[in-house]
Amino acid sequence: MNEPRALLILNNLSKTYGSNRVLDNFDLTIFDGEFFTLLGPSGCGKTTVLRMIAGLEDTDTGNIQLENHDIGQVPAEKRPINTVFQSYALFPHMTVFDNVAFGLRMSGVAKEEIAPRVTEALEMVRLGEFAERKPAQLSGGQQQRVAIARAVVNRPKLLLLDESLSALDYKLRQQMQIELKRLQRKLGITFVYVTHDQEEALSMSDRVVVMNKGKVQQLGTPREIYEQPANLFVAKFIGEINQLVGEIVEIDGNHEYEVKVEGLQWRLHAEHNFKVGDKVNVLLRPEDVRVEYIDDPHPDQYLVGEVIERNYKGKTLDSLIRLPSGIEVIASEFFDEDDPSFDYSLNQKVAIKWVPGWEVVLPHEV
Amino acid sequence: MRSSFGSFRFWAIGLASVWLTLFVFFPNLLVIFTSLLTRDPQATVSLPVNVDSYVRTLDVLYLQVLWDSLRMSLLAMVFCLLIGYPFAMAIVSLPKRWQPVILFLVILPFWTNSLVRTYAIQFILGNQGIINKSLIGLGLIDKPLQLLYTQFAVILGLCYILLPFMVLPLYSALEKLDIRLHHAAKDLGAGPLSRFWYITVPLTSPGIVAGCLMVLLPAMGMFYISDLLGGAKNLLLGNVIKTQFLHTRDWPFGSAFSVILIVLLGFMLWLYFRASRFVSKQGGLNGSDF
């Protein structure tokens, strides 16, 4: 793979509405050809960033560079950037064909070139035979695809998608996720996707930025963000995570620490530098927790807990286990060929451990 | 529950039907019938039934009046649209809490009788009116301009009285316009003029047609405006009808004109419904319109 080329650079963007600072010195670089996702809870500023890139929102400070040109002063209609809006915003008085052709007509594309390009775009989203329909005569999923066709037909340098799948039902959303990803690969256009759905972000993106309160929390590949969350917010926002509290009792050097957790001493790895006596959070994904019958022989150390809830989820059995300290741990275990019918009863005592090194150790915060 | 609602519906519709029959259907029937009678100096109207009155309306003189009043009403409509559209757009662009205030101000003149307001225009436009006096005072003209008793004065009066009927439907159409469609159009490369022409205008076309009809239809009959502002030469269809009933006492002829006016207005309403059906089915914009 070639060295990635920076397509869009956001420098020090800020935005304040009244007393509400929605964006705070926000920096970001988006590479050419990647599927990039802005992920965060509602109100984190992700949609504001998208609208600033599109030119539909002014910036208080900072600048936006597209291919090394400052586009801060370029109005939205002159930017080679198109958006798929959350509400689709299809023109209700125009046919599907005219909706898709709108951008081409506005930019003065030759008449004889318009029809083939529109038809091609509609074929691409498999709506070829719907060209003469009105948007109101289409289903939600079809309207969504028209919105995508209307944007990509202009061959933008950057395609922005604002929570574009959130209005669809679960099945259709899954299907559209795959279609979008495939489309992006085929077109080679850079996609910037905004969502609050972490599952969506992980499954579609090349890189993800997690945002909260107008600030970047973490930037990385989906895997980095899931497996090495930079802070407690990211850890908790992306999927489920168990939080145990520990204390550094000894430094073994090279980021290896002896940590006291739930009364036992564990040898854990951490990227951070800690001193003896520092309190830390030890974070464990539910699927990394191992639960075993307490009567089985255990060569290594384990915690003892009591099963207080068990939920059969089809693929997995999710158990809620209370440790003697009162902390509750969720364990998500897959059924496999070794023991296809394992189960626990309520109030059963079980042994808990985890694969060494799969834990994440962060400075303590609540 | 169901039956009490059913009886409410029965009475509501029944009452409206009786009302419309008594005060709209029968009077109109009476007008049509009268238009087919003969003028009688003693009894006002008498038999035999004939179509003489309709034949007489075909006189060049009256066709001229018909054409004049149609033209003045159309001009008033066009000016109302040209003034009303930007005005309604300005109201919509105001903060939400100010919009009702401005709309209230638009409606406020209705509280004063329109006859009184027309007299006020007469005073403003007259030879001794504020416009002429100021112009003379400023030394721009030597003798007063003839503003009153002109076609201009009639059109001005019609515009003034009827402008709210244009503004209100336009406001309600513009207010419903989804700002996100403008964002989408902007995102797709449409500048301010294109957005206005391809998004705002087609999507507010029902409001435009409604406003135009609400100005055009009453304008044809507003005889007191041309009486007070137009003088003897600038007649509206309403003036002819009024004269036949009150001065000439030729009721069949006046009735014939009324029937013609009703048919004309009915035809325009039919055009409106055709147009609004076209808008909802086809949209104001087709590929070929570009």
Side-chain angles (χ1 to χ4, degrees):
Chain A
M1 187 127 179
N2 300 330
E3 182 72 7
R5 186 176 70 95
L7 178 71
L8 185 83
I9 299 171
L10 307 180
N11 249 327
N12 200 29
L13 295 184
S14 293
K15 181 86 185 175
T16 307
Y17 294 116
S19 61
N20 184 18
R21 195 156 179 82
V22 287
L23 215 55
D24 195 5
N25 299 329
F26 187 84
D27 293 313
L28 192 63
T29 299
I30 292 169
F31 298 128
D32 194 15
E34 73 177 332
F35 196 123
F36 190 89
T37 298
L38 296 153
L39 174 66
S42 59
C44 73
K46 57 193 192 299
T47 295
T48 306
V49 173
L50 202 73
R51 292 174 63 83
M52 282 174 172
I53 299 171
L56 297 171
E57 192 97 54
D58 293 329
T59 57
D60 289 350
T61 67
N63 64 68
I64 302 173
Q65 285 175 29
L66 182 70
E67 296 184 314
N68 298 321
H69 294 289
D70 189 342
I71 57 167
Q73 297 310 310
V74 180
E77 58 263 35
K78 300 253 166 61
R79 296 187 187 184
I81 295 172
N82 290 111
T83 308
V84 179
F85 292 89
Q86 183 173 17
S87 63
Y88 314 149
L90 299 178
F91 305 126
H93 57 299
M94 296 185 200
T95 61
V96 167
F97 184 95
D98 288 329
N99 263 286
V100 177
F102 191 83
L104 299 176
R105 283 167 176 158
M106 287 303 122
S107 57
V109 171
K111 229 179 166 115
E112 56 277 9
E113 201 188 321
I114 289 174
R117 273 177 72 176
V118 171
T119 309
E120 185 198 23
L122 284 174
E123 293 293 341
M124 194 171 57
V125 295
R126 300 197 317 273
L127 284 174
E129 67 270 45
F130 293 92
E132 291 314 312
R133 297 257 189 112
K134 282 289 178 58
Q137 295 167 296
L138 303 179
S139 70
Q142 290 168 334
Q143 291 184 15
Q144 161 79 66
R145 303 213 298 266
V146 175
I148 293 169
R150 186 176 71 169
V152 299
V153 74
N154 304 296
R155 296 171 191 159
K157 293 224 162 74
L158 200 58
L159 185 74
L160 310 177
L161 301 104
D162 184 8
E163 306 247 2
S164 301
L165 304 183
S166 61
L168 305 177
D169 63 53
Y170 182 74
K171 259 265 154 59
L172 200 54
R173 202 158 68 222
Q174 300 255 304
Q175 193 186 325
M176 286 304 296
Q177 284 176 13
I178 296 167
E179 269 188 51
L180 265 186
K181 187 74 198 147
R182 194 178 292 158
L183 194 66
Q184 193 260 344
R185 258 189 237 119
K186 189 172 149 195
L187 294 169
I189 296 175
T190 310
F191 277 33
V192 179
Y193 190 84
V194 157
T195 185
H196 63 265
D197 183 332
Q198 37 100 7
E199 213 177 301
E200 216 165 82
L202 296 182
S203 65
M204 289 199 291
S205 322
D206 295 320
R207 287 195 307 150
V208 180
V209 64
V210 183
M211 294 175 67
N212 191 34
K213 295 184 178 149
K215 285 192 174 194
V216 171
Q217 300 295 318
Q218 188 173 1
L219 174 67
T221 63
R223 191 173 208 134
E224 284 163 358
I225 281 174
Y226 189 78
E227 293 181 1
Q228 292 141 35
N231 56 38
L232 192 61
F233 173 83
V234 175
K236 283 186 160 171
F237 190 74
I238 315 286
E240 273 184 297
I241 203 148
N242 294 303
Q243 184 185 355
L244 301 175
V245 181
E247 194 186 311
I248 306 282
V249 290
E250 207 181 316
I251 302 169
D252 295 353
N254 206 17
H255 294 282
E256 300 289 324
Y257 299 91
E258 294 291 331
V259 187
K260 196 167 184 183
V261 180
E262 293 289 316
L264 295 173
Q265 195 163 311
W266 310 76
R267 190 185 165 84
L268 303 178
H269 178 86
E271 291 299 323
H272 288 74
N273 291 314
F274 296 110
K275 304 188 300 290
V276 172
D278 281 354
K279 281 185 95 180
V280 293
N281 281 327
V282 177
L283 304 172
L284 284 170
R285 295 286 178 199
E287 64 273 21
D288 296 343
V289 176
R290 297 279 175 270
V291 183
E292 284 166 22
Y293 300 121
I294 206 151
D295 316 325
D296 291 348
H298 298 286
D300 16 79
Q301 68 175 350
Y302 58 88
L303 298 169
V304 177
E306 188 184 338
V307 177
I308 56 171
E309 222 173 286
R310 45 164 297 284
N311 288 317
Y312 175 73
K313 288 282 184 65
K315 270 189 287 199
T316 59
L317 179 72
D318 290 5
S319 322
L320 189 62
I321 297 150
R322 189 187 291 144
L323 301 176
S325 65
I327 287 179
E328 288 167 5
V329 174
I330 303 170
S332 183
E333 295 173 279
F334 281 90
F335 296 97
D336 58 24
E337 64 279 5
D338 293 342
D339 192 357
S341 60
F342 72 87
D343 200 352
Y344 311 105
S345 52
L346 292 185
N347 303 321
Q348 184 180 351
K349 296 258 185 217
V350 288
I352 299 177
K353 50 183 85 172
W354 65 88
V355 183
W358 286 15
E359 76 285 341
V360 175
V361 182
L362 294 174
H364 183 69
E365 53 180 315
V366 193
Chain B
M1 195 63 203
R2 196 185 184 90
S3 74
S4 74
F5 177 73
S7 75
F8 168 75
R9 198 166 57 173
F10 172 79
W11 285 108
I13 294 174
L15 208 64
S17 308
V18 170
W19 178 275
L20 286 173
T21 311
L22 276 180
F23 298 110
V24 179
F25 182 68
F26 280 132
N28 273 301
L29 220 58
L30 221 58
V31 170
I32 293 170
F33 182 61
T34 310
S35 72
L36 297 169
L37 294 175
T38 313
R39 182 187 174 201
D40 186 302
Q42 263 78 51
T44 313
V45 286
S46 63
L47 292 168
V49 169
N50 59 67
V51 292
D52 284 1
S53 300
Y54 288 96
V55 175
R56 277 169 60 209
T57 61
L58 296 175
D59 190 313
V60 180
L61 185 72
Y62 295 116
L63 289 179
Q64 184 67 42
V65 173
L66 186 68
W67 167 240
D68 277 351
S69 66
L70 193 63
R71 201 189 51 205
M72 283 193 286
S73 304
L74 279 169
L75 280 171
M77 181 193 88
V78 170
F79 287 126
C80 278
L81 183 62
L82 291 180
I83 300 164
Y85 207 98
F87 188 62
M89 282 176 80
I91 301 176
V92 171
S93 71
L94 286 173
K96 272 270 181 275
R97 65 203 163 95
W98 283 108
Q99 295 183 13
V101 179
I102 304 294
L103 286 177
F104 174 72
L105 290 177
V106 169
I107 300 166
L108 191 66
F110 285 132
W111 291 7
T112 310
N113 188 294
S114 54
L115 200 58
V116 176
R117 288 185 285 140
T118 313
Y119 269 115
I121 298 177
Q122 206 179 27
F123 283 120
I124 293 169
L125 296 180
N127 286 357
Q128 296 298 312
I130 188 167
I131 295 177
N132 275 319
K133 273 198 165 165
S134 331
L135 289 175
I136 292 172
L138 288 168
L140 291 170
I141 50 171
D142 307 326
K143 52 178 197 243
L145 293 172
Q146 185 60 48
L147 297 174
L148 200 56
Y149 308 127
T150 58
Q151 222 176 68
F152 159 78
V154 177
I155 293 169
L156 180 80
L158 289 173
C159 283
Y160 169 65
I161 300 288
L162 295 169
L163 186 62
F165 294 103
M166 180 62 89
V167 172
L168 295 179
L170 284 179
Y171 168 80
S172 99
L174 282 165
E175 199 251 354
K176 273 187 254 145
L177 195 65
D178 190 342
I179 186 71
R180 292 176 296 187
L181 295 179
H182 265 264
H183 292 159
K186 200 172 177 181
D187 186 76
L188 290 165
L193 268 178
S194 299
R195 295 202 293 274
F196 176 75
W197 190 246
Y198 295 118
I199 307 297
T200 311
V201 170
L203 286 174
T204 54
S205 59
I208 295 173
V209 178
C212 285
L213 280 173
M214 284 176 73
V215 170
L216 186 61
L217 302 189
M220 304 272 291
M222 290 203 145
F223 60 85
Y224 58 89
I225 298 219
S226 57
D227 265 0
L228 294 178
L229 304 175
K233 273 184 288 183
N234 302 296
L235 297 177
L236 293 170
L237 209 50
N239 294 88
V240 179
I241 297 168
K242 188 202 79 173
T243 310
Q244 298 311 319
F245 278 96
L246 297 184
H247 305 302
T248 326
R249 300 197 71 77
D250 191 344
W251 284 27
F253 193 44
S255 300
F257 262 115
S258 298
V259 172
I260 288 172
L261 187 57
I262 291 168
V263 169
L264 209 63
L265 303 187
F267 176 68
M268 287 174 190
L269 275 178
W270 176 75
L271 278 183
Y272 167 63
F273 287 121
R274 280 289 304 268
S276 58
R277 264 228 315 270
F278 174 78
V279 167
S280 64
K281 253 194 198 158
Q282 295 282 310
L285 189 68
N286 275 321
S288 55
D289 288 353
F290 274 94

